[in-house]
Amino acid sequence: MYRQLSQSEITTLKKQGCMAEKWKDIEVKISFSAENIRNVQFAGKVQIGTLEGKVQIAEGIQKPSAIQNSYVENCTIGDNVYISNVGSLVNYTVENQVAIENVGTIAINGITTFGNGHEIDVLNEGGGRELPIFDKLSAQIAYLLVVYRHNKKLTKALKKLVHDYTESKKSSKGTIGQNTKILDSKSIINVNIGASSIINGVSLLRDGTIAGNQIAPVTMGEGVVAEDFIVLSGSKVTGSAVISSTFVGQGVKIGRQFSAENSALFANSEAFHGEATSIFAGPYTVTHHKSTLLIAGMFSFYNAGSGSNQSNHMYKLGPIHQGIVERGSKTGSLSYMLWPCRVGAFSVVMNKHSGNFDTTDLPFSYVSVQGDKSVVTPAMNLFTVGTDRDSKKWPNRDRRKDSTKLDLINFELFNPYTVQKIIDGSNLLASLHENTPKTREFATHKGALINRLMLRTSKRYYDLAINLYLTETVISKLKGAELNSLKEIREILSSKAKPVQNQWVDISGMMADKSDINNLIQSVTDQKIQSVEQLQEALTNIYNNYQDNAYAWSIAVLKNILDIDIQTVSKQELIKIVTDWKSNSIKFKNMILKDAEKEFDQLSRIGFGVDGDENENISDFEAIRGTYETNSFVIGLRDDITRIESEHDILINQLGELPD
């Protein structure tokens, strides 16, 4: 409850250097004391809470609650705040335990949506794929808005959902959430600030939302300039970064003079030193280097090498910058791609490519240059240390602490999407091998060359991965189960969903049966989904059904490729599945171990033991890097092999006891 100031309180405030346009417009709580308000100029309607106790300004620093040396206009100020040396604090609700010190301007100018609804020219800098950003935007909703522009009904319906949400955000008054610290900053205009945010030394924040909370606060650091932006929970934008018309998802790190324009960076992405223009950076997009320019591309689980660059300078009717780099891919140092290009999942792109290529049907490949032609070496990235380590580290590096995780992410290396790509690659290589004359050194496919002598080898590697995935799917159901009869085993292996080998898609981190996405699209266009919250809920339902649907897909593929029907599977077929699983799993692990061994060879020791002989070279290397035998990654792989052998033996014994 608020009351007007008493005459004695007004007198006290005047004595303490305070002024007001109209003292009657200043309201305070019943327990208010004027003691801690000094040299403050009030304007408009102002409500003030109780100023008692101390407020934490920074770690180890607390100051008594106070409002001093500031201009305050049309604000509601909560309990136990510290506001000092603020040039202008205008049109804000300041919640409890907030500290604001040495700030030029914090103001709302007229009616604003705090960055919600602002459209950014993502993926194609020439326009046509505009993404309206808002503070509940997920990578999946963004994907539907950006990629499915050919479906005009869907685009119209989605934009209406975002527009309706944006309308609900309109206000002439902003909020500074509880426990927020705003220190030593210049200008903050039309910005909503969530609870527990840390804003320290920023140069300019304009027209945006900082959607932090007590569980997952947001940090905006020294020298930062941000305009027309959204920053979601748990993210940090520091180090004089400059972001304009940019969306920053949950758990993102941006800093070290990075600049981004018309870009969206989703969960757990990292961006330092370089530059981004019109990129759709799906979850776990990482760029760390000064000379790196990412432009008009779509990425996820991506690592950009130093000096990575993409462009197309040969446009005449306007830029057609647009490229797709599918999940898990990397670009080497000084790599260059001439857009448009499409890079298959988990591929490595090296060198400078002066032509356009499409390797979507050849995942896990190396893409290099020979002469002036792009050359693909398929399947070679299946068995590398980097691929294996990446797939394991991503779940452990999820920085999102928020109870609501907006981006829906599937981390599995092998899943219906990537395995279908491998199947397509295997079929493509078989066709190329059959149809490429033996007199030719290379086969050609969609702008790239493939060494003819590698076609059969690469196909064998693809087939190994396919078999491994399918048998692993069955093994995962059998492990730990009671295998008393074939009937029980068939029930264990039965699928909740109908086994169908439908097309799967990667919706920026979320794997989904294309038919489920089509059904969702129909629900949106039929207006059965009427809010962004309902849309996110529908996407979450698809995500939650992933395991069942992925298993059903795998069972269908098992029948189509290996000719094994779970409904009628025999004892001999089960034994073959277990035997193949062991053989292929160990072969797969050993190939990765072989790749890991290269990290400890003689060439890797160059530069160690600088002033000594070969013995010192080895000793110095081992002191820094350890040995192959004691490396934790190597030990982990060897433990996996031991586990596989043990699980194989248990299953074979169980199956052997079944009646024929």
Side-chain angles (χ1 to χ4, degrees):
M1 294 290 293
Y2 290 92
R3 61 174 177 81
Q4 288 189 331
L5 290 166
S6 67
Q7 191 57 50
S8 63
E9 288 169 334
I10 293 173
T11 300
T12 299
L13 289 170
K14 287 181 177 179
K15 287 181 179 179
Q16 293 172 177
C18 297
M19 297 182 291
E21 287 182 344
K22 297 179 181 178
W23 286 107
K24 66 178 183 179
D25 288 340
I26 312 301
E27 295 183 336
V28 296
K29 286 194 172 179
I30 293 173
S31 57
F32 169 79
S33 171
E35 178 182 340
N36 295 331
I37 301 179
R38 298 175 180 274
N39 301 319
V40 179
Q41 182 176 350
F42 296 106
K45 296 185 179 297
V46 177
Q47 294 178 317
I48 305 173
T50 302
L51 301 176
E52 297 177 340
K54 292 187 176 183
V55 180
Q56 183 170 330
I57 307 300
E59 187 174 352
I61 301 175
Q62 291 186 332
K63 294 186 179 181
S65 297
I67 306 174
Q68 58 193 24
N69 305 320
S70 300
Y71 175 87
V72 179
E73 178 180 343
N74 290 329
C75 289
T76 298
I77 297 174
D79 296 335
N80 305 325
V81 303
Y82 178 78
I83 299 173
S84 179
N85 299 323
V86 178
S88 296
L89 178 59
V90 181
N91 296 325
Y92 268 94
T93 295
V94 180
E95 295 184 350
N96 301 339
Q97 295 290 330
V98 166
I100 308 174
E101 184 177 49
N102 300 329
V103 178
T105 300
I106 308 176
I108 302 295
N109 294 334
I111 296 175
T112 178
T113 61
F114 308 102
N116 290 281
H118 177 74
E119 290 193 342
I120 64 176
D121 291 323
V122 72
L123 187 55
N124 192 320
E125 63 174 331
R129 297 192 185 276
E130 295 83 5
L131 172 64
I133 60 175
F134 57 100
D135 60 19
K136 291 190 181 297
L137 179 64
S138 69
Q140 286 69 48
I141 293 176
Y143 187 95
L144 294 175
L145 276 160
V146 170
V147 173
Y148 283 67
R149 298 308 286 260
H150 54 279
N151 189 330
K152 294 182 179 180
K153 288 184 178 179
L154 173 65
T155 300
K156 182 178 179 181
L158 288 174
K159 284 195 169 185
K160 183 180 185 304
L161 297 183
V162 178
H163 175 267
D164 291 345
Y165 181 79
T166 297
E167 287 294 305
S168 73
K169 289 292 182 176
K170 277 186 175 180
S171 180
S172 58
K173 198 166 187 178
T175 299
I176 300 173
Q178 185 170 331
N179 292 313
T180 287
K181 320 298 179 194
I182 306 177
L183 309 172
D184 303 317
S185 297
K186 294 180 181 178
S187 295
I188 301 173
I189 310 295
N190 294 345
V191 178
N192 239 10
I193 303 170
S196 300
S197 299
I198 300 173
I199 301 173
N200 192 349
V202 301
S203 292
L204 173 64
L205 306 179
R206 183 188 296 276
D207 296 311
T209 294
I210 298 170
N213 55 56
Q214 187 173 359
I215 298 173
V218 169
T219 298
M220 306 291 285
E222 291 187 6
V224 166
V225 174
E227 299 182 86
D228 299 307
F229 69 95
I230 303 285
V231 178
L232 296 189
S233 60
S235 291
K236 295 183 178 181
V237 183
T238 59
S240 298
V242 178
I243 61 174
S244 174
S245 295
T246 292
F247 174 87
V248 179
Q250 294 175 309
V252 173
K253 291 183 178 181
I254 297 176
R256 299 173 191 168
Q257 300 87 44
F258 187 82
S259 66
E261 180 179 3
N262 284 298
S263 294
L265 295 88
F266 291 96
N268 299 309
S269 292
E270 297 181 15
F272 299 105
H273 292 301
E275 180 181 354
T277 301
S278 295
I279 68 166
F280 189 117
Y284 292 90
T285 295
V286 175
T287 172
H288 274 196
H289 305 286
K290 281 185 178 181
S291 54
T292 297
L293 168 64
L294 303 181
I295 185 167
M298 176 173 281
F299 314 90
S300 66
F301 300 91
Y302 165 70
N303 195 319
S306 61
S308 292
N309 196 345
Q310 316 88 41
S311 67
N312 180 353
H313 296 295
M314 295 186 293
Y315 49 80
K316 296 179 181 179
L317 298 178
I320 51 172
H321 284 161
Q322 181 175 305
I324 307 296
V325 180
E326 296 180 14
R327 69 157 44 201
S329 294
K330 299 180 180 180
T331 48
S333 296
L334 299 177
S335 70
Y336 168 82
M337 285 182 282
L338 180 70
W339 287 157
C341 283
R342 184 167 183 175
V343 179
F346 290 95
S347 294
V348 179
V349 180
M350 300 164 282
N351 311 127
K352 296 182 181 293
H353 296 261
S354 57
N356 313 113
F357 61 83
D358 180 354
T359 66
T360 185
D361 293 328
L362 296 167
F364 296 93
S365 295
Y366 290 153
V367 187
S368 58
V369 172
Q370 186 169 327
D372 61 348
K373 302 295 184 182
S374 298
V375 177
V376 182
T377 308
M380 290 300 106
N381 203 35
L382 275 168
F383 313 104
T384 64
V385 170
T387 299
D388 191 71
R389 287 186 68 246
D390 285 347
S391 65
K392 293 174 180 175
K393 77 184 181 185
W394 286 318
N396 297 326
R397 294 186 179 183
D398 192 343
R399 291 186 292 267
R400 297 174 296 170
K401 305 299 182 185
D402 205 317
S403 56
T404 300
K405 294 177 174 58
L406 292 173
D407 293 352
L408 306 170
I409 303 173
N410 296 112
F411 293 103
E412 293 86 350
L413 178 66
F414 295 128
N415 54 67
Y417 174 79
T418 54
V419 174
Q420 183 61 63
K421 293 284 189 181
I422 294 171
I423 293 170
D424 294 341
S426 177
N427 294 335
L428 172 62
L429 294 178
S431 175
L432 290 173
H433 183 264
E434 181 179 349
N435 296 308
T436 303
K438 292 184 178 180
T439 55
R440 292 180 56 182
E441 182 180 1
F442 292 100
T444 60
H445 178 70
K446 295 185 177 179
L449 303 178
I450 309 170
N451 191 307
R452 184 181 58 80
L453 297 178
M454 285 299 300
L455 294 174
R456 294 181 67 181
T457 299
S458 295
K459 175 176 166 49
R460 285 199 302 270
Y461 289 156
Y462 276 155
D463 291 344
L464 170 63
I466 295 166
N467 188 285
L468 177 58
Y469 172 77
L470 295 175
T471 54
E472 172 69 37
T473 297
V474 175
I475 298 300
S476 65
K477 291 285 187 179
L478 296 180
K479 286 189 296 189
E482 294 291 333
L483 308 181
N484 298 316
S485 69
L486 277 176
K487 181 181 178 182
E488 287 187 11
I489 291 174
R490 290 165 185 163
E491 289 177 356
I492 290 169
L493 295 178
S494 63
S495 171
K496 293 181 181 179
K498 182 179 179 181
V500 180
Q501 191 177 348
N502 287 336
Q503 179 187 358
W504 278 60
V505 288
D506 181 357
I507 308 295
S508 194
M510 183 185 82
M511 302 302 176
D513 187 318
K514 183 67 159 56
S515 63
D516 287 338
I517 297 300
N518 289 339
N519 291 337
L520 180 141
I521 288 171
Q522 193 64 49
S523 294
V524 173
T525 55
D526 289 346
Q527 299 183 358
K528 293 178 181 178
I529 293 176
Q530 298 184 337
S531 68
V532 293
E533 290 84 3
Q534 289 179 3
L535 177 57
Q536 184 68 13
E537 182 180 357
L539 286 163
T540 302
N541 288 337
I542 295 174
Y543 174 77
N544 290 338
N545 290 329
Y546 166 78
Q547 294 294 345
D548 290 341
N549 290 339
Y551 181 73
W553 182 91
S554 303
I555 295 307
V557 178
L558 188 74
K559 184 176 180 180
N560 294 341
I561 292 182
L562 300 185
D563 197 28
I564 296 175
D565 189 340
I566 291 304
Q567 300 300 316
T568 60
V569 66
S570 67
K571 174 180 174 179
Q572 290 71 30
E573 286 175 326
L574 287 169
I575 290 174
K576 186 177 187 308
I577 286 173
V578 175
T579 304
D580 286 351
W581 167 72
K582 174 193 172 184
S583 174
N584 290 329
S585 294
I586 292 177
K587 184 176 182 180
F588 191 86
K589 299 291 183 185
N590 280 330
M591 292 176 78
I592 298 173
L593 283 170
K594 193 70 175 176
D595 188 57
E597 199 170 355
K598 298 174 186 176
E599 300 286 321
F600 297 87
D601 64 13
Q602 186 176 13
L603 291 177
S604 296
R605 298 199 304 269
I606 292 174
F608 288 84
V610 177
D611 296 329
D613 57 14
E614 179 68 12
N615 290 330
E616 285 193 19
N617 171 265
I618 295 173
S619 297
D620 187 41
F621 180 85
E622 291 180 352
I624 304 302
R625 295 294 307 277
T627 66
Y628 176 76
E629 290 74 17
T630 60
N631 180 266
S632 60
F633 178 81
V634 171
I635 291 171
L637 284 174
R638 287 176 168 169
D639 288 344
D640 285 343
I641 291 173
T642 302
R643 172 185 55 80
I644 290 165
E645 291 173 335
S646 174
E647 290 173 348
H648 164 269
D649 293 344
I650 292 170
L651 288 171
I652 289 296
N653 289 336
Q654 288 178 303
L655 293 172
E657 295 175 1
L658 294 176
D660 291 322

